[in-house]
Amino acid sequence: MRPRWVMSPEEVAILDANAEALGADMDELMLTAAEHLANALDGAPAPIWILCGPGNNGGDGFRLASMLEECYVVATHSKQKSALAQRARDDWNGTVYSVENLPEVAPATIVDCLLGAGTVGKPRGEVLRLMESIPGRPMVLACDMPTGCGSGLSFNAFRTVTFEAPKSNMVDEGGRLLSEVGDLFIAPVGWPAGTLDPGPGDLLRYPHPQTGQVKGDRGRVLIVGGGPYHGAPLLAGIAAARMGCDLVHVAMPKNAAARAKWPSELIPEQIDDEDIISNVDKIIERCSTGRGVQALVIGPGMGDDESSLAAVNRLIEETPNIPKVIDADAIKALNGWPKSLIGVVTPHQKELENWIWDVANIPSMLEGHGEMRIVVKTGAEDLIFGSGGRGGVVSGGNPRMSMGGTGDLLAGCIGGLLGLGLTPWAASRIATYVMRKAGEMAGDEIGPGLVAEDIAPYLSRALITGSVLLHPPEEEDPSSS
């Protein structure tokens, strides 16, 4: 089994969606989860109450109930909020109790299937009412995570059965398990191979536009590149715009800017350099003026003149709080991972060898930095490296994507997503998937004469692939009544 990282609450639903897209039978996965809970109950004293919340965690509880000879099921709601969980409820032939009609016999053990790992904060509404109504001091077995874990208002479990990987809201800042978790058992539920890799589920990370937003609310991205080449920074800028950020500026030397055919969606950023980037005073000023910029993409088409590489290092040092994509020749400016760099480095094989020699040297550079330092090694397959076991392999797309320009598009995609406020980890996962999907869509329509510029219009379309992703997901707190 591949290593697992400590997953955020949001990642559980994302990876479940990836599993389903890969053909997983979600009912079978839920049955497997319930079997692990049944095994963990071996020897627990009766009577056993199973507390079922309205989501899929509650569905696990209903599946568990069908496996036990005797138990009492208490549900917070009259129906489940997903078809998967409702099927589990419908298959339970026993009585379903409620907070107004609790079982007459007090529990010796309860199974906490109220709220899963996808929730944060204190429980409230019907969930809190039920928690406060439990008589006595029963033992608690938690499904996936104790309800309210880490909020100061939670069950204290003697054991927690969590699925596939630990969750970030069950550990403290030092990575130690919180006391309410009890003994932790990590149980596989049968995710297909490839579930951990970027896929359509990762599009659930995307921040959809909201009513009432004004220009600038969805970020400003600045592309710094060009000089020897002028097409690369334009491609990166177009890709950033296609990710849905509001404003994309491109800073390139004056002579390159004069040669360029500027798309209407890109804003030329005036700088003093004539032929190569060397003086970044105006760029640094732009980053700290007004609302500043929310992401920088540095390197496309820049060349590797020594003065340009020195300018890259100065930009990194003097804008430490702005996430960045370091791409193409700008990677040559790096000596390991700069202390002040937050963001993503995107080398191909040769660039990686010149930078750090071997992929084996990546983990030590990233360790301890969570989602904030990411390396994307590009090639026939994109390899994503992060901290704490994070990683992924991205394949597919179209064979023509090996041409020049697709790396610039990828750098721009990541930069655009950083500009929207996503972490380097989330931005890299979405961007690598979307690039491959857009290349596939463009290739199907355009054919073997596909060029990098053809892919750009499909990037936005790739953001809405998958039936559940055509519209913004509704935000609903399952702990509310």
Side-chain angles (χ1 to χ4, degrees), residues 303-322:
D304 60 357
D305 187 272
E306 288 298 325
S307 60
S308 296
L309 300 184
V312 171
N313 280 317
R314 186 175 169 217
L315 264 180
I316 292 172
E317 291 169 4
E318 297 200 26
T319 59
N321 297 319
I322 299 175

Side-chain angles (χ1 to χ4, degrees), residues 91-345:
D91 288 344
W92 165 243
N93 295 319
T95 301
V96 178
Y97 295 88
S98 68
V99 68
E100 289 85 10
N101 178 34
L102 292 173
E104 294 182 359
V105 56
T109 302
I110 64 172
V111 184
D112 172 16
C113 297
L114 290 174
L115 300 177
T119 59
V120 295
K122 293 183 179 181
R124 59 181 186 269
E126 294 303 305
V127 170
L128 180 58
R129 282 186 64 203
L130 179 54
M131 292 174 68
E132 293 176 337
S133 300
I134 303 300
R137 298 174 61 88
M139 297 172 56
V140 177
L141 171 68
C143 174
D144 216 10
M145 188 183 72
T147 295
C149 190
S151 72
L153 181 62
S154 71
F155 280 128
N156 289 310
F158 75 91
R159 181 176 299 149
T160 295
V161 178
T162 200
F163 305 118
E164 294 292 347
K167 312 304 186 298
S168 60
N169 40 359
M170 62 174 59
V171 298
D172 63 18
E173 292 181 355
R176 296 176 293 269
L177 281 178
L178 299 177
S179 59
E180 54 259 47
V181 174
D183 295 331
L184 180 64
F185 177 61
I186 302 171
V189 294
W191 277 345
T195 297
L196 297 178
D197 300 323
D202 282 274
L203 298 180
L204 292 170
R205 303 175 188 268
Y206 183 78
H208 289 266
Q210 301 296 313
T211 302
Q213 288 181 326
V214 298
K215 183 171 68 175
D217 285 352
R218 288 176 63 79
R220 187 190 304 267
V221 177
L222 175 57
I223 315 293
V224 181
Y229 311 98
H230 60 271
L234 296 182
L235 283 172
I238 292 168
R242 289 290 181 177
M243 291 299 98
C245 60
D246 278 353
L247 298 161
V248 181
H249 297 241
V250 178
M252 69 171 91
K254 292 179 181 179
N255 290 334
R259 296 193 304 268
K261 182 179 178 181
W262 286 82
S264 59
E265 62 266 30
L266 302 185
I267 304 168
E269 187 72 27
Q270 299 299 320
I271 59 176
D272 293 330
D273 294 319
E274 297 284 342
D275 294 304
I276 59 171
I277 290 174
S278 60
N279 182 355
V280 291
D281 288 345
K282 286 190 175 180
I283 296 174
I284 293 170
E285 181 182 358
R286 181 74 191 82
C287 290
S288 57
T289 302
R291 298 178 71 171
V293 301
Q294 283 63 60
L296 283 163
V297 179
I298 306 173
M302 186 186 70
D304 60 357
D305 187 272
E306 288 298 325
S307 60
S308 296
L309 300 184
V312 171
N313 280 317
R314 186 175 169 217
L315 264 180
I316 292 172
E317 291 169 4
E318 297 200 26
T319 59
N321 297 319
I322 299 175
K324 301 171 181 67
V325 182
I326 309 298
D327 182 52
D329 283 328
I331 299 171
K332 295 180 181 178
L334 304 183
N335 180 15
W337 191 283
K339 183 178 180 181
S340 55
L341 177 59
I342 297 169
V344 185
V345 181

